Amino acid sequence: MKSVTLLGVCLYASFHMCALDIEQEFRKLGFIDIAELNPEVRVELMYAGDDNFTGRVLYEGFTRAWLHPDAAHAVDVAQGYLAEIMPGYHLLIKDAARPMSVQRKMFDAVKGTPKANYVANPAKGGGLHNYGLAVDITIVDPNGKELDMGTPVDFLGPQSNIDREVTLVKNGVMSENARQNRLLLRKIMKKAGFMPLRTEWWHFNLVSKKQAQESYNRLDF
């Protein structure tokens, strides 16, 4: 497996310069800022703030959603499909490419807890976010409000499992409207080439981990 290293060293740089180095590194690797490719795709990175399952800011200073070109163009296609079905609605990316340095911080925040089962172990190569080939994503209406999906993005629990949705509706845990919204999201993303994750309705991978390891560079910075 090939890997890449951070070229910009931040030892004597300011907090914001470090963030700038990270974004410059993404550009050097040929990664795409999804907002530049398609401004109709909204971006609100949950790990750029502390309102996430770790309760910590993990993305210190960068707020753009960067993706490998293969994944970025697939998201662009997905937004096109959504616009055809529901004009005025937008995909909202909550997480995209994630450097391994952030993956380590994330795993350290949940290590030894049940939440660790939801985070790819960096010691085992991390996950598809670490290749820029995965997105955490939802849909917003024309007013920018997230559609009801039964749980927020990043909710770690059985209510987020896509194979329990019928039972969740039957038991009154989730509304039928929320289930239909999840089905819409999956329909759009799958048509664009993404694969859903069983345990997280918001997470989609473009390729398998084996394919990523064989054909893509991991973000080792």
Side-chain angles (χ1 to χ4, degrees), residues 34-79:
I34 192 63
E36 292 181 358
L37 177 64
N38 188 338
E40 294 301 304
V41 178
R42 304 297 188 243
V43 175
E44 187 179 298
L45 299 184
M46 54 191 166
Y47 301 121
D50 59 8
D51 186 16
N52 59 69
F53 77 97
T54 70
R56 305 179 186 181
V57 175
L58 299 177
Y59 291 165
E60 297 175 341
F62 76 91
T63 57
R64 301 182 186 187
W66 296 91
L67 287 168
H68 185 281
D70 292 351
H73 287 295
V75 169
D76 179 42
V77 169
Q79 176 60 44

Side-chain angles (χ1 to χ4, degrees), residues 81-116:
Y81 290 147
L82 176 60
E84 290 176 7
I85 299 171
M86 302 181 71
Y89 284 68
H90 306 269
L91 292 173
L92 173 66
I93 293 181
K94 305 288 280 189
D95 195 29
R98 184 190 304 157
M100 285 299 289
S101 57
V102 175
Q103 190 70 29
R104 294 185 188 96
K105 287 197 295 184
M106 185 179 294
F107 190 75
D108 286 345
V110 298
K111 188 165 54 179
T113 75
K115 292 181 180 180

